[in-house]
Amino acid sequence: MEKITSLAKRRGFVFQSSEIYGGQNGAWDYGPMGIELKNRIAGAWWKEMTQLHDDIVGLDAAILMHPRTWEASGHVENFTDPLVDCKKCKSRFRADQIPEENLAAKKCPDCGGELTDTRKFNLMFKTHIGPAEDSASVIYLRPETAQGIYVNYKNIIQSNRMKIPFGIAQIGKAFRNEIVTKNFIFRTCEFEQMEMQFFVKPGTDEKWFDEWRKRRWSYYEKLGVKMDHLRWHQHGHGELAHYAKDAYDIEYLFPMGWRELEGVHNRGDYDLGRHTKFSGKDLQYIDQENNNERYTPYIIETSAGLTRNLLMILCDAYDEEQVAEKGNDDDVRTVLRFHPSLAPVTVAVMPLMKKDGLAEIAADIRAELKEDFATDYDQGGAIGRRYRRQDEAGTPFCVTVDYQTKEDKTVTLRFRDSMEQIRLPAAELTARLRQEIKGYKRIK
Ligand code: GAP
């Protein structure tokens, strides 16, 4: 993880928030490469969920919601972590994450000092809306995006004539006052989620729950993720969230071990039932094709962290490869093997030399490719070093302009993964790159 954190900073993927003030715990900034990668991961998920599914539509709900929302959702009452403090070294722990014997003996796992009693700590960030800071003005930063979908589900049925079964997808920020934020961007106080809520008829929920587990698994397969680094974990009774009837996590083998990447939850009629009760509004679905049958839909949720997906994609792509080169058998290259559709830069264009008009030709080729791909231009240093710089940034293709280009308008196309190089007319680049991206198969 240290290597990934350091590469992420060095290459402009992720920076510590407010670094010049010593950093803000639990918050991170996404640099020029990071925002491109994050946007592409979000784009891939959005395409999968909306463009490829006729029965799913999108939404972008506000982060600030009526405070009753969080009473209805159960978050005010139940969204807590058990917390203990060490009276001696002042360290703070989640009681469920320290060894049981320490908890039983009230002994700090770090310094052996005495631990406080366990107390419940609500993870929602509270603030005030308006000028008065009293209990009537309390408002929360949403801890999940899902509730924005539930409170809009009737609006969407009416405005978009949706019929059950159907889904609503949303990507957005969520906030949790996490007690322990370590492992880089894995668990943070401010993060992004990609959530989809699928509304189904009661009784069909288990079938849809199975179906969505299958779909989410094949999504990661399509992204080219190492499938032996993914596994399912079903929640036991003690683990189930307050809203869940059944839940499975997709776990990824991060450098610190197997950890949750995404959750697929059968939320039953918990959410719409509670919002019906708290809002006094009838949230039943009326099935006009079935004698106006009325029921409260069950919800199957797929909930993935966008920022956690970004960490997974970085870990999954990271590779150090021994490359035997002339006279240097132990050369190691660092390479990020991103799927080309996720890579922040798709193609880098470089002139072999800055002089003799090569730079101008390379700049023209880049201008042409820009219309279709994210490009970079690099004319500094030895060509081998420039390739390595692009490997480390995860750029899948490099185009090199040399003296032959001046004669026959051909260029070299170099592939990141195999380091293979081919020669082709510059005019064929766009079509060839499109074909390479579509047919990409990870080789390592
Ligand atoms: N709406 C259901 C829900 O929020 P969750 O299991 O609490 O379920 C879903 O969160 C996903 O959101 C997790 O699988 C994880 O990817 C991401 N996530 C949750 N808490 C996070 C945090 N503090 N930092 C980064 N990502 C987080």
Side-chain angles (χ1 to χ4, degrees):
M1 189 63 97
E2 246 168 59
K3 284 184 178 172
I4 288 163
T5 311
S6 135
L7 185 150
K9 180 173 181 192
R10 192 168 68 245
R11 298 308 307 255
F13 284 92
V14 183
F15 307 120
Q16 202 182 11
S17 161
S18 326
E19 196 179 358
I20 60 166
Y21 291 103
Q24 175 53 54
N25 195 21
W28 296 86
D29 298 339
Y30 292 81
M33 297 294 272
I35 177 63
E36 294 294 340
L37 180 60
K38 185 148 72 74
N39 282 346
R40 292 204 217 309
I41 296 171
W45 184 90
W46 194 255
K47 176 179 175 187
E48 174 75 18
M49 289 305 196
T50 63
Q51 193 174 321
L52 300 182
H53 284 101
D54 301 341
D55 52 3
I56 303 181
V57 290
L59 175 75
D60 183 20
I63 288 172
L64 298 177
M65 299 181 71
H66 194 289
R68 288 280 281 167
T69 308
W70 305 109
E71 289 171 37
S73 70
H75 282 81
V76 170
E77 193 186 333
N78 300 311
F79 198 51
T80 55
D81 273 346
L83 177 74
V84 287
D85 287 304
C86 173
K87 292 182 183 170
K88 191 169 158 205
C89 71
K90 309 290 175 212
S91 292
R92 183 158 282 175
F93 306 95
R94 261 176 64 173
D96 54 348
Q97 287 181 353
I98 60 172
E100 269 176 31
E101 53 276 20
N102 286 73
L103 199 60
K106 287 190 152 189
K107 192 171 164 195
C108 174
D110 284 356
C111 76
E114 193 192 344
L115 293 176
T116 60
D117 288 336
T118 306
R119 63 185 191 282
K120 280 187 174 179
F121 169 76
N122 195 295
L123 268 71
M124 281 198 294
F125 278 103
K126 245 189 218 176
T127 184
H128 295 269
I129 194 157
E133 289 197 9
D134 55 25
S135 58
S137 66
V138 165
I139 195 158
Y140 300 96
L141 299 186
R142 68 180 177 199
E144 61 170 11
T145 60
Q147 300 300 326
I149 294 181
Y150 305 145
V151 300
N152 276 297
Y153 119 96
K154 273 247 147 158
N155 284 338
I156 288 178
I157 287 182
Q158 279 149 16
S159 63
N160 294 65
R161 295 186 292 134
M162 302 307 287
K163 292 194 174 64
I164 276 181
F166 76 95
I168 304 175
Q170 174 166 227
I171 299 177
K173 291 244 175 184
F175 302 83
R176 295 182 189 178
N177 200 354
E178 298 282 1
I179 301 165
V180 182
T181 54
K182 55 180 185 194
N183 295 317
F184 193 29
I185 55 171
F186 177 80
R187 176 170 287 110
T188 51
C189 293
E190 176 175 345
F191 57 101
E192 281 175 72
Q193 288 187 315
M194 307 184 285
E195 297 200 304
M196 193 282 302
Q197 314 295 324
F198 204 72
F199 298 83
V200 305
K201 187 171 181 180
T204 64
D205 52 308
E206 281 172 22
K207 180 191 94 179
W208 280 111
F209 186 51
D210 289 349
E211 177 59 28
W212 275 107
R213 280 182 10 235
K214 279 192 212 121
R215 291 182 186 178
R216 292 310 299 151
W217 187 261
S218 34
Y219 169 75
Y220 289 109
E221 219 160 17
K222 240 178 18 188
L223 278 191
V225 173
K226 291 177 190 150
M227 294 312 281
D228 60 348
H229 278 49
L230 288 178
R231 72 175 187 193
W232 284 108
H233 165 73
Q234 185 178 17
H235 285 209
H237 274 303
E239 272 176 288
L240 281 175
H242 60 271
Y243 50 72
K245 191 178 152 199
D246 199 356
Y248 280 79
D249 291 338
I250 297 180
E251 293 185 336
Y252 181 80
L253 186 55
F254 286 96
M256 64 282 186
W258 289 100
R259 295 283 190 286
E260 175 183 346
L261 174 68
E262 158 160 3
V264 183
H265 311 132
N266 182 347
R267 296 181 71 131
D269 63 355
Y270 175 84
D271 300 279
L272 292 182
R274 296 271 296 189
H275 284 302
T276 302
K277 189 167 152 207
F278 279 71
S279 68
K281 300 281 183 317
D282 179 7
L283 297 180
Q284 288 189 99
Y285 177 73
I286 305 166
D287 188 349
Q288 290 168 343
E289 285 164 8
N290 220 343
N291 297 327
N292 287 336
E293 187 190 355
R294 300 169 81 94
Y295 57 84
T296 302
Y298 275 27
I299 291 167
I300 306 302
E301 168 182 69
T302 72
S303 175
L306 169 54
T307 41
R308 196 172 287 182
N309 255 261
L310 188 144
L311 178 62
M312 179 278 282
I313 292 290
L314 273 178
C315 297
D316 201 67
Y318 187 89
D319 193 18
E320 287 174 9
E321 187 181 32
Q322 194 98 18
V323 272
E325 284 199 339
K326 275 177 241 133
N328 185 3
D329 285 348
D330 340 298
D331 195 12
V332 172
R333 69 166 183 150
T334 301
V335 49
L336 288 177
R337 300 186 189 278
F338 293 135
H339 190 288
S341 64
L342 297 184
V345 174
T346 316
V347 51
V349 184
M350 35 188 86
L352 191 62
M353 302 282 190
K354 274 186 263 184
K355 53 184 190 183
D356 302 329
L358 298 188
E360 288 75 8
I361 301 174
D364 285 349
I365 292 177
R366 185 202 186 181
E368 184 94 22
L369 293 174
K370 250 184 203 179
E371 289 292 334
D372 297 277
F373 309 102
T375 61
D376 191 10
Y377 178 83
D378 189 359
Q379 60 174 25
I383 194 76
R385 265 212 298 282
R386 282 184 264 164
Y387 284 149
R388 293 296 166 82
R389 269 207 295 268
Q390 295 298 334
D391 289 343
E392 200 191 48
T395 307
F397 311 108
C398 288
V399 169
T400 310
V401 170
D402 55 19
Y403 288 98
Q404 198 183 326
T405 315
K406 288 178 82 172
E407 311 212 323
D408 62 7
K409 297 197 167 63
T410 63
V411 291
T412 301
L413 176 61
R414 184 226 187 223
F415 298 91
R416 175 197 66 203
D417 291 354
S418 61
M419 295 193 288
E420 189 199 332
Q421 301 188 11
I422 58 166
R423 191 106 206 154
L424 79 170
E428 290 175 14
L429 273 173
T430 300
R432 178 66 189 249
L433 289 175
R434 280 218 186 99
Q435 182 195 329
E436 291 291 337
I437 296 169
K438 202 152 190 204
Y440 178 78
K441 290 263 171 316
R442 185 166 174 161
I443 52 170
K444 266 204 165 183

